[in-house]
């Protein structure tokens, strides 16, 4: 049974997906439901997710999928966007602009000179204890903690058995719109490369780490937040190194 606000939000998300194929922003949802803050939207979305009405798509901000309509039926697929001409009129200009902004699979590399070690997962394991190293900033970068005395249990099915993983506690709210909240425990796949748009653990200037979406912009690297209250930070390519990629999240209520 949905609350009135959950029902209203689900209908609004379903309408926007059916209309444009893109889920609304948290700000748009807040305004549509006449709420004072986006924290109420986060609670409503979590409630809808727990009840099996929506699903968040991993590693993408504003990415929601409606699994069940309020009446319990499967939702209608979103309408196909109107075709545009690549050569004539304003539609052609929009198409070219879209080509320029299309996702780029540029790979951004780091190294493991100062990387946090992870735990390997046996193929037959049902659960694994990952090292929980401390807090990582989803806001202003803070120094990484290297306390190796804490561990956190994670279902092995969430992890790739051939790779190493570790866990960090999130401090801050700069990745809020990507579904990463203050106090969450993030599961990190240990790696030294990442494609544009991935959420990564980025080592800045050899001694600070932050959780951000990473993109290469020309000869520079951008660390992008998922919260309009924060600004994207631009660094030279020798100042940022990839230490891992976000693959999972644990939240306690």
């Amino acid at each position: 049974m949905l609350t009135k606000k959950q029902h209203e939000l689900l209908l609004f998300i379903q309408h926007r997906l059916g209309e444009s194929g893109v889920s609304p922003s948290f700000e748009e949802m807040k305004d549509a439901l006449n709420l004072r803050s986006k924290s109420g939207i986060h609670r409503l979305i979590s409630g809808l997710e727990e009840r099996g009405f929506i699903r968040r798509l991993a590693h993408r901000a504003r990415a929601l999928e409606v699994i069940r309509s309020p009446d319990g039926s499967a939702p209608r697929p979103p309408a196909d966007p109107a075709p545009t001409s690549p050569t004539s009129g304003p539609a052609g200009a929009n198409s070219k602009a879209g080509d320029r902004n299309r996702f780029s699979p540029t790979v951004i590399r780091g190294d493991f000179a100062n990387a946090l070690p992870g735990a390997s997962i046996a193929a037959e394991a049902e659960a694994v204890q990952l090292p929980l190293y401390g807090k990582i900033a989803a806001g202003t970068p803070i120094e990484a903690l290297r306390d190796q005395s804490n561990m956190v249990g994670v279902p092995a099915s969430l992890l790739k058995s051939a790779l190493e993983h570790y866990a960090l506690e999130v401090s801050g709210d700069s990745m809020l719109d990507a579904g990463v909240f203050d106090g969450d425990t993030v599961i990190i796949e240990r790696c030294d490369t990442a494609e544009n748009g991935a959420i990564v653990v980025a080592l800045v200037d050899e001694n600070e780490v932050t959780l951000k979406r990473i993109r290469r912009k020309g000869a520079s690297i951008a660390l992008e937040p998922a919260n309009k209250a924060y600004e994207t930070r631009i660094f030279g390519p020798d100042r940022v190194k990839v230490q891992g990629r976000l693959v999972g999240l644990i939240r306690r209520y």
Side-chain angles (χ1 to χ4, degrees):
M1 185 69 178
L2 296 179
T3 67
K4 179 180 178 182
K5 286 297 185 182
Q6 287 173 340
H7 186 270
E8 290 178 1
L9 181 59
L10 181 59
L11 288 178
F12 179 64
I13 295 172
Q14 187 174 2
H15 173 73
R16 287 294 297 272
L17 285 172
E19 186 178 64
S20 64
V22 179
S23 57
S25 68
F26 280 77
E27 188 70 26
E28 290 169 332
M29 288 186 269
K30 176 179 73 71
D31 294 341
L33 271 66
N34 295 317
L35 296 180
R36 293 183 178 180
S37 70
K38 289 187 286 188
S39 61
I41 294 296
H42 288 293
R43 288 192 292 271
L44 291 173
I45 285 178
S46 295
L48 289 172
E49 189 176 23
E50 290 173 0
R51 288 164 174 79
F53 284 90
I54 65 172
R55 175 169 54 207
R56 300 186 221 225
L57 303 182
H59 313 314
R60 292 170 55 192
R62 289 183 53 178
L64 299 174
E65 179 183 6
V66 176
I67 303 172
R68 293 167 53 202
S69 296
D71 60 3
S73 64
R76 291 179 298 175
D80 292 332
T84 59
S85 169
T87 57
S88 63
N94 290 338
S95 177
K96 292 177 181 178
D99 289 341
R100 288 195 299 269
N101 295 325
R102 192 167 296 166
F103 170 78
S104 169
T106 303
V107 173
I108 302 166
R109 295 186 175 275
D111 65 47
F112 283 150
N114 296 306
L116 297 170
S120 299
I121 294 87
E124 69 278 4
E126 294 184 0
V128 63
Q129 294 292 315
L130 297 185
L132 177 62
Y133 286 115
K135 294 185 177 181
I136 184 171
T140 304
I142 57 176
E143 185 176 354
L145 300 179
R146 291 173 176 264
D147 180 5
Q148 300 191 25
S149 63
N150 293 325
M151 306 291 286
V152 59
V154 177
S157 59
L158 297 179
L159 311 175
K160 296 179 181 179
S161 60
L163 301 173
E164 292 186 6
H165 300 76
Y166 58 90
L168 292 166
E169 182 182 346
V170 174
S171 176
D173 61 357
S174 74
M175 298 304 291
L176 204 63
D177 289 345
V180 181
F181 300 170
D182 182 42
D184 285 350
T185 298
V186 289
I187 308 304
I188 305 299
E189 175 188 294
R190 189 173 182 265
C191 62
D192 62 356
T193 63
E195 292 186 345
N196 275 350
I199 298 177
V200 303
V201 174
L203 177 67
V204 181
D205 293 333
E206 299 292 343
N207 65 358
E208 293 178 329
V209 292
T210 186
L211 187 73
K212 291 291 183 293
R213 198 176 301 279
I214 191 167
R215 296 188 192 276
R216 184 176 295 280
K217 296 190 175 182
S220 301
I221 290 178
L223 298 181
E224 298 179 351
N227 185 333
K228 293 180 180 179
Y230 295 82
E231 295 182 352
T232 296
R233 305 178 69 202
I234 308 295
F235 298 92
D238 58 338
R239 295 183 61 192
V240 177
K241 295 173 181 177
V242 175
Q243 299 286 280
R245 182 173 63 89
L246 176 67
V247 295
L249 182 147
I250 299 173
R251 179 171 299 144
R252 295 179 176 85
Y253 293 91

